[in-house]
Amino acid sequence: MRRQKAGAGGTVSTSRISLKKNFIMNSLLTMSQFIFPLITFPYVSRVLLVTGTGKVSFATSLISYFTMFAQLGIPTYGIRACAKVRDDREELTRVTQELLIINLITMVLAYVVFFFMLMWVPRLQSEKPLYIIVSVTILLNAVGMEWLYKGLEQYSYITVRSIVFKFVALVLMLLLIHKQSDYVLYGGLTVFASAASNLFNLLHAHRFVSLRPVGHYNFRRHMKAIGIFFAMSCATTIYTQLDTLMLGFMATDTDVGYYNAAVRIKTILVSVVTSLGTVLLPRSSYYIQEGNYGEFRRLTAKAMNFVWIISLPLTLYFMFFAKEGIYCLAGTKFTGSIWPMQLIMPTLVLIGLSNITGIQILVPTGKEIYVLYSEIAGAVTDLVLNAILIPVIQASGAAIGTLVAEFVVLLVQIFALRKEKIVQFRGTPYWKMGLALTAAAVSSLWTKKLQFVHNVSVNCLFILAISALLFMGVYFAVLTLTGEKLTIELEKQVLGKIRKRKPEK
């Protein structure tokens, strides 16, 4: 059966959408998310210092809870719901409008609670302008319908739009932020960079769905799944944002600033590790809907191998070079971020694996309730450990809480999949990766003793550049020499693309 493309009166053809292209575009998006803070944070952290960045980080964490409520579980559920009806434009329109209406209602409720807290909570009254500006995220995420575009695998549009707005925000930050009191402006520009582009989603949506009411709405069919995904979102937000929030209330803005620098680097790296998994959710949901379990298992196995190969070297490298990374990114005043960063780095592996077991396996197969259980377990673990450790070791205590919480999440999900044959840990080439990591570490650790210039931050930048080339170069060279299949496959694809682009003589 031939399927038509949405926007021409039909739907988006799955066969015409290249998974490789999606991965490439999502990788570019990931790179933009890597480059943007890599350029802005070193500048901003030296202008706003630890306290200024801590204030913005605390405000962002607080608003994330209101955004979570306003979004319910729609950001994840919407991807699956739209992917399943992508071949029927009218039904896709109905599903999109139903979810958007639900989103707008909960957004209004979220703002009511937010302004009530802003009036009565003393901790918030001192920084009202900052919280109000950052709260615009709630509105922008509600009208953005990012889930529609991901469900239809429109990663080219998402990537281009995001990069343009990040570039504009980058220019504005360099032009406008010059003194420590500019932290409110910095909060506004972070909102602009991350969510302002969502306004264009409404203008662009007519290509895929009708903007006119189609009627015959059935909101009830979404409520159970949305409820489960909302609970998942609550649990996830608790154990990912609770650290910063508890640090803000139980410690100081300075401690929040230290922790924020470590988490910022971790977040950048997590986006790299989960980049392939992100584009697989709509395709996995589609394969499950079509009953194509063979392709579903193949995608899952490849994604799992990808996570192992990418997350392990990143984890080890940034544990070894945590000091250089912090000094280069944030400056020498952030020495208190080094130990928290080393403690939190192993979460790259844990989050990468749980992204596959949870979002890429349990969710497409309709077993999201187990993801909820795992995230509740992680949230409770994080809450208890934070309450015990933050008063004693501040930012390091928050890092330990997050690390253990992510381990608990993965453990529960693996237990839920214990009877399934989808998750295969035995096929992973552990000895090859172990050999490659050992060789990479030996080849790069000596660079820590190098001294190029007297400026500590600049010297650390040189060390990072040289050590990263050595570490990653040796790592992938050893994997290639030992015949690691996925590495060789990726190298062949890259070489094939290069050869095709060479002009014929």
Side-chain angles (χ1 to χ4, degrees), residues 89 92-94 96-97 205-206 208-214:
R89 180 181 172 89
L92 177 63
T93 297
R94 183 171 289 106
T96 300
Q97 292 182 5
H206 69 88
F208 309 105
V209 297
S210 173
L211 299 180
R212 296 180 179 179
V214 294

Side-chain angles (χ1 to χ4, degrees), residues 4-16:
Q4 292 177 303
K5 186 177 180 180
T11 56
V12 178
S13 171
T14 303
S15 61
R16 294 179 185 176

Side-chain angles (χ1 to χ4, degrees), residues 150-162:
K150 289 182 177 179
L152 300 180
E153 302 186 52
Q154 297 298 306
Y155 287 97
S156 295
Y157 165 75
I158 294 172
T159 300
V160 172
R161 181 208 63 184
S162 178

Side-chain angles (χ1 to χ4, degrees), residues 76 80 229 232 239 273-274 276-278 280-281 284 288 296-297 299-308 347-375 405-426 428 430:
T76 304
R80 189 180 74 178
F229 279 105
M232 288 165 51
Y239 78 80
V273 173
T274 59
L276 178 61
T278 301
L280 292 183
L281 176 56
S284 297
I288 291 295
F296 173 70
R297 292 189 181 93
L299 284 179
T300 300
K302 181 170 288 190
M304 188 73 74
N305 202 18
F306 175 84
V307 166
W308 280 113
T347 59
L348 295 182
V349 180
L350 300 174
I351 293 173
L353 293 175
S354 62
N355 181 260
I356 302 300
T357 56
I359 302 302
Q360 310 307 329
I361 298 179
L362 290 171
V363 170
T365 54
K367 298 178 180 178
E368 57 270 7
I369 189 65
Y370 295 107
V371 181
L372 172 59
Y373 294 154
S374 71
E375 292 177 345
E406 294 293 357
F407 177 74
V408 169
V409 169
L410 178 61
L411 203 61
V412 173
Q413 291 180 5
I414 291 175
F415 181 78
L417 291 167
R418 66 191 183 282
K419 295 181 181 179
E420 302 289 340
K421 296 181 179 179
I422 299 174
V423 182
Q424 296 289 341
F425 290 106
R426 295 180 181 179
T428 303
Y430 296 111

Side-chain angles (χ1 to χ4, degrees), residues 137-358:
T137 306
I138 304 172
L139 170 65
L140 295 176
N141 283 338
V143 302
M145 298 185 296
E146 192 87 346
W147 35 269
L148 169 64
Y149 294 91
K150 289 182 177 179
L152 300 180
E153 302 186 52
Q154 297 298 306
Y155 287 97
S156 295
Y157 165 75
I158 294 172
T159 300
V160 172
R161 181 208 63 184
S162 178
I163 290 175
V164 168
F165 273 80
K166 280 181 170 59
F167 178 77
V168 174
L170 167 62
V171 174
L172 291 175
M173 282 187 187
L174 296 176
L175 290 176
L176 301 177
I177 297 177
H178 301 296
K179 54 186 184 295
Q180 193 172 356
S181 59
D182 288 337
Y183 63 88
V184 176
L185 182 58
Y186 172 58
L189 289 176
T190 57
V191 173
F192 180 87
S194 63
S197 58
N198 286 351
L199 290 173
F200 283 83
N201 287 358
L202 282 173
L203 302 176
H204 192 68
H206 69 88
R207 293 187 56 192
F208 309 105
V209 297
S210 173
L211 299 180
R212 296 180 179 179
V214 294
H216 303 290
Y217 296 125
N218 181 10
F219 298 102
R220 186 173 296 179
R221 60 174 169 167
H222 304 296
M223 301 314 295
K224 181 179 179 181
I226 284 178
I228 294 174
F229 279 105
F230 174 56
M232 288 165 51
S233 178
C234 287
T236 302
T237 302
I238 287 172
Y239 78 80
T240 55
Q241 299 292 337
L242 187 65
D243 306 325
T244 302
L245 203 61
M246 290 182 74
L247 271 172
F249 281 110
M250 300 174 69
T252 66
D253 286 333
T254 299
D255 293 308
V256 175
Y258 287 145
Y259 187 68
N260 176 55
V263 170
R264 187 174 290 269
I265 295 175
K266 183 213 77 171
T267 303
I268 294 169
L269 299 174
V270 164
S271 65
V272 175
V273 173
T274 59
S275 57
L276 178 61
T278 301
V279 302
L280 292 183
L281 176 56
R283 186 63 59 89
S284 297
S285 299
Y286 184 82
Y287 283 147
I288 291 295
Q289 182 72 11
E290 297 292 311
N292 194 344
Y293 292 97
E295 282 298 303
F296 173 70
R297 292 189 181 93
R298 184 186 65 81
L299 284 179
T300 300
K302 181 170 288 190
M304 188 73 74
N305 202 18
F306 175 84
V307 166
W308 280 113
I309 290 173
I310 296 298
S311 65
L312 285 175
L314 288 175
T315 298
L316 199 62
Y317 176 81
F318 281 96
M319 287 180 72
F320 287 150
F321 293 91
K323 183 180 76 172
E324 289 77 11
I326 290 294
Y327 284 175
C328 180
L329 182 67
T332 55
K333 295 184 181 298
F334 284 75
T335 300
S337 301
I338 296 172
W339 182 231
M341 178 176 166
Q342 291 175 320
L343 289 169
I344 210 170
M345 274 300 111
T347 59
L348 295 182
V349 180
L350 300 174
I351 293 173
L353 293 175
S354 62
N355 181 260
I356 302 300
T357 56

Side-chain angles (χ1 to χ4, degrees), residues 436-480:
L437 288 170
T438 302
V442 171
S443 68
S444 61
L445 282 175
W446 63 272
T447 61
K448 293 175 72 69
K449 298 180 180 180
L450 294 176
Q451 183 68 40
F452 294 97
V453 293
H454 292 295
N455 185 294
V456 176
S457 296
V458 176
N459 191 66
C460 287
L461 176 61
F462 285 129
I463 292 174
L464 284 176
I466 296 172
S467 61
L469 286 173
L470 287 171
F471 190 98
M472 296 304 172
V474 170
Y475 175 76
F476 285 106
V478 172
L479 287 182
T480 302

